[in-house]
Amino acid sequence: MLSIQLSDRVKNLPPYLFAAIDKMKQAALAKGIDLIDLSIGDPDIPTPAHIVEAMKRAVENPAHHRYPSYEGMLSYREAVAGWYKKRFNVSLNPKTEVLSLIGSKEGIGHIPLAFINPGDVVLVPSPGYPVYPVGTLFAAGESYIMPLKEENEFLPDFKIIPEGVLKKAKLMFLNYPNNPTSATADAGFYKEAISLAKKYNIIICHDAAYSEVYYDNERPISFLEMEGANDVGIEFHSLSKTYNMTGWRIGFAAGNKDVIAGLGKIKSNLDSGVFQAIQEAAIAAFNTDDSILSDIRKTYQDRRDALYNGLKSLGFHLIKPKATFYLWAKAPSGFDSSSFVAHLLNKAGVLITPGNGFGAPGEGYVRFALTAPVEKIKETVERIKSVISVSG
Ligand SMILES: *Cc1c(COP(=O)(O)O)cnc(C)c1O
């Protein structure tokens, strides 16, 4: 008999947040609870039909049945560059400054392998997407947590990072519009990040998965719009949230060519690219009619308004999202993140995500995902009202 031992890197993993939630969810369903699930950031709206049609056509083409190119079809990378030009007025060389990804999670998880030696520091925002510290751990790097605090509008405070940490830092993750806090960043913030990166030789990896999920017609800017951004980093992007394509697994990295090449080196040794039929569908996605996208945004905005106004009237302390399909709220007094999530699940049949699951600085908060129809959102508010009395 073998004695099968997991590696230290796997043993050292924190429990994957959504796996723990899924267990709670399964237990509630087994008890027969009629659940409203607002816990996971997965759009409930289908992929627009013209994208599905493009996939159907592409799947018939035998040329797409063979191995794709590692870096993505040139036509896909050109479509990415075209989209950046149109949306952000940023020029990219599709041959050297764009790389296809099997979803942006894949690139985010792999990039530390390209640039981090054991013991190197990675600056990680927290609360944040769990893949930033996990990718760092897999590369034997050390995560240095940058807490995102409400009093700083959920932006990291670079001034409090010790000089010694900055000197050891090789890479920094940033994410705006932000999951889970829904915060956005302005040009001034990105400028500050770029000058820090230049001073200490730190690669910036900006995760822009939610740049197209915004409200009140206030379009978020791209990190790459800033002067000097392309000298210090890249932006990760995804079709998942913009076009309701989470199941398709396609995204991209764009920006500094040396950073793109480094990530490409890791990938060409690990995977063999994205199914070309999916790349064809993604090209169709970049040509989506603006009216389709504004309908999607309108749907989320109605949900946001219903949840924000409803919870506000119950006395909750809330952040009004300018972007993303999340709402970040303080757990009412008497509860911490986990006890409030358990209370809502067991007493109201409403499942949300505990803020501390995104890192210790998220303690005391919870995240609602706006991924259910507006009637369900209104019912959520009614259910919460019946199991809670909030006093500030
Ligand atoms: C959803 C999400 C992603 C990744 O999406 P993919 O489907 O892998 O492209 C990346 N970053 C954040 C913050 C997300 O919420």
Side-chain angles (χ1 to χ4, degrees), residues 37-56:
D37 186 354
L38 303 181
S39 68
I40 294 186
D42 191 355
D44 57 313
I45 310 166
T47 306
H50 70 283
I51 301 173
V52 176
E53 288 307 317
M55 177 73 177
K56 285 185 190 165

Side-chain angles (χ1 to χ4, degrees), residues 103-105 108 129 132 175 179 207 209-210 238 240-241 249:
S104 60
K105 180 179 186 179
I108 292 165
Y129 192 52
Y132 314 138
N175 165 222
N179 174 13
D207 178 354
Y210 295 94
S238 170
S240 290
K241 314 289 163 57
R249 311 314 304 137

Side-chain angles (χ1 to χ4, degrees), residues 6-16 107-124 129-145 171 173:
L6 290 168
S7 66
D8 291 344
R9 77 174 64 78
V10 174
K11 284 184 187 157
N12 289 337
L13 278 175
Y16 191 62
I108 292 165
H110 281 145
I111 195 150
L113 290 175
F115 299 104
I116 296 304
N117 286 316
D120 286 347
V121 168
V122 177
L123 304 174
V124 171
Y129 192 52
V131 187
Y132 314 138
V134 167
T136 302
L137 173 72
F138 283 175
E142 306 265 344
S143 289
Y144 178 86
I145 298 300
L171 196 148
F173 285 108

Side-chain angles (χ1 to χ4, degrees), residues 316-317 329-337 339-340 363-366 390 392:
F316 274 83
H317 177 90
K330 270 220 168 108
S333 63
F335 291 101
D336 61 15
S337 296
S339 64
F340 187 56
E363 179 54 78
Y365 292 87
V366 293
V390 185

